[in-house]
Every structure is written in structure tokens, then in C-alpha cells.
Amino acid sequence: MLYEIGAPPAERSSPIVVVESLVKRFGSFAALNDINLTVAKGEKIVLCGPSGSGKSTLIRCINHIEKHDGGRIVIDGIELTDRMADINSVRCEVGMVFQSFNLFPHLSVVENCMLAPMKVRGLSRPEAHDRAIGLLRKVRIHDQANKYPAHLSGGQQQRVAIARALCMQPKIMLFDEPTSALDPEMVKEVLETMVELAREGMTMVCVTHEMGFAREVADRVVFMDRGSIVEEGDPDTFFSAPRTERAKSFLSQIVH
């Protein structure tokens, strides 16, 4: 198998993420309709489903990039409301990696990673530099620390984006299709970095179409369609014996 996780599935503890009856609308369109989801500390969740099913909207609501219209989101005991104090407290604990890399082009790789810990966590410049170099080494790109993003490949830039998120020492990592903008040969290096995080016990919620990754890494696969959770279960059950016709149809198109 391409991805090998030696650690046992996450022990079910008090949930670190609680989503209750979540609703998100864009005008009259319900992008999310009565979503209920809990994520335990150390659990790895893969969100999958067809385009437009609400996967990315869900994790953007968890990080309050999108404001939800109904229901509740609780992150590590903090309910996500419109109060900036709540939003900032949650964002300090939640790292997010997007489809596009969103690196600052005028900053070097190491400076991209240092900025938030200095501004938000209050680290000194030497402390932030040491942390950044350590995490760039973790994602195997420390030798590019003084280059600018434009000089890196897409896969390298995405690994920098992961290191940048980790520099805030988040309790949860959200991934929004992190490999979808990459050339095929660059996908593996990013997935390997995510596998390492999973092996170390990071709580992860990943939107991805990489079903090999989902099979090997996820504790739970959550299948969404038309703004609702249609089915969820452990990877072995979901891929070998999906319960719903909609999941069976989806898997028949993407799993060969």
C-alpha cells in the first residue's frame, strides 16, 4: 500500500469539534443543511463527495471564513460566534491549508512561516525563526528557507503552507483539497507530509478526492451530497460496502 499508518485509530474522547444543526445559505441556496458532525481529539476525518456538495463550505465555516446562518460550532470548548474574541481564539487553534497556497510573495519561505507566530503568539524573532526552520525541516523543505515562493514548485509551496500552519501549533488542521491544484507528480510529496501528521496524532479534517489517502489515513469517511451528510463510516466499510445508492454511484465513478 502506498500510505502506511502504524498508529491505531484515534481513541474516542471528548470531541474537539462539535457541529450541530449547521445551516449555511448563499441567498436562497442552502449550501449546508442541518449538518451534525463531531470530531474527537486525534481523529482523522476525510470529507468526500461530488463537487458542490458542501465539503469546502463546511470546513470554511469551522474556521469562520464563512459565517454560518444557523446551528452551532464549538471548537475545543469555544462556541464560534460573531464576537471577534471567539473567532480569533478559534483561529489560533485551527490551522488551515487551502487549494491555493496563499503564501506572501514578497516574503521568503522562512519569513512566511515566522509572521503569524510573531504577530499572534508573541514569539520573538529568534524564537519564530527556530520554530519555522524546525517545521520546514519536518516537511523536508528547510533547504529552500531563504527562497521566495515564486521560485518553488507547486508541491514545495504547499508543503511550506503546511509548515506555516503548523508554526502556530494548532490543535486541529483543516485541509481543503490541498492537492487539487498540483501536477500529478507533486501530489505524492504533499500527501506524504499529511501522512506524517496523521501518524503523529494530529486532529485532521480533510476535503480530498485522493481515495487512496482516505483508505489508509482516515478514521472516518464522511460522504456529502447536496449540502447534507449522506453517509459516514470507517474506510473499510465505506469503500467495500457503502449503504446508500448515492455513495455507491459516487464510488463507482472514482474508485477503480
Side-chain angles (χ1 to χ4, degrees):
M1 295 183 182
L2 180 57
Y3 310 114
E4 194 70 41
I5 301 295
E11 295 180 4
R12 298 298 180 261
S13 57
S14 298
I16 194 169
V17 178
V18 178
V19 177
E20 294 180 346
S21 303
L22 191 69
V23 174
K24 171 62 185 176
R25 299 185 186 91
F26 295 101
S28 61
F29 173 69
L32 298 174
N33 183 28
D34 194 30
I35 296 291
N36 293 280
L37 180 70
T38 60
V39 182
K41 184 177 181 181
E43 194 174 16
K44 273 68 72 179
I45 304 291
V46 165
L47 301 178
C48 66
S51 297
S53 59
K55 310 178 299 294
S56 294
T57 301
L58 175 55
I59 65 169
R60 289 170 72 87
C61 284
I62 291 173
N63 205 26
H64 208 70
I65 295 171
E66 297 285 358
K67 177 184 173 183
H68 56 287
D69 298 304
R72 301 173 68 233
I73 301 173
V74 181
I75 309 292
D76 198 25
I78 301 172
E79 182 166 355
L80 192 51
T81 69
D82 286 334
R83 293 178 62 244
M84 281 309 300
D86 294 333
I87 295 169
N88 290 335
S89 294
V90 165
R91 285 180 177 165
C92 283
E93 307 303 335
V94 179
M96 187 152 180
V97 178
F98 301 86
Q99 297 178 40
S100 55
F101 320 122
N102 292 341
L103 301 175
F104 294 113
H106 64 291
L107 298 179
S108 69
V109 163
V110 70
E111 288 169 338
N112 264 279
C113 294
M114 292 167 59
L115 186 62
M118 292 168 59
K119 296 288 187 181
V120 179
R121 296 290 197 193
L123 267 64
S124 68
R125 188 172 183 84
E127 289 172 330
H129 184 272
D130 288 347
R131 181 181 294 182
I133 292 296
L135 286 164
L136 289 169
R137 180 172 286 109
K138 180 185 185 70
V139 301
R140 299 183 298 279
I141 201 165
H142 58 284
D143 56 332
Q144 309 291 320
N146 294 315
K147 291 186 178 180
Y148 288 86
H151 298 148
L152 304 182
S153 70
Q156 289 173 323
Q157 289 188 61
Q158 194 62 292
R159 282 187 284 155
V160 172
I162 293 171
R164 180 178 62 177
L166 292 174
C167 278
M168 287 292 286
Q169 297 187 326
K171 295 179 180 178
I172 308 158
M173 285 287 288
L174 307 177
F175 294 88
D176 186 6
E177 299 193 30
T179 61
S180 65
L182 301 178
D183 293 334
E185 64 267 23
M186 298 177 184
V187 169
K188 184 173 180 287
E189 64 189 57
V190 173
L191 291 179
E192 286 175 345
T193 299
M194 295 170 65
V195 166
E196 287 296 325
L197 289 179
R199 184 179 290 117
E200 293 167 5
M202 174 63 75
T203 306
M204 299 167 65
V205 181
C206 310
V207 174
T208 183
H209 294 293
E210 299 291 339
M211 294 297 100
F213 174 83
R215 282 179 183 271
E216 299 302 327
V217 172
D219 296 315
R220 190 159 31 119
V221 177
V222 176
F223 174 70
M224 296 182 65
D225 188 33
R226 298 184 180 182
S228 298
I229 293 176
V230 175
E231 184 172 339
E232 59 182 294
D234 66 87
D236 286 346
T237 301
F238 178 75
F239 287 107
S240 63
R243 299 188 307 275
T244 62
E245 289 302 319
R246 185 66 188 91
K248 291 176 183 177
S249 174
F250 174 77
L251 289 172
S252 70
Q253 296 177 52
I254 64 169
V255 177
H256 304 287

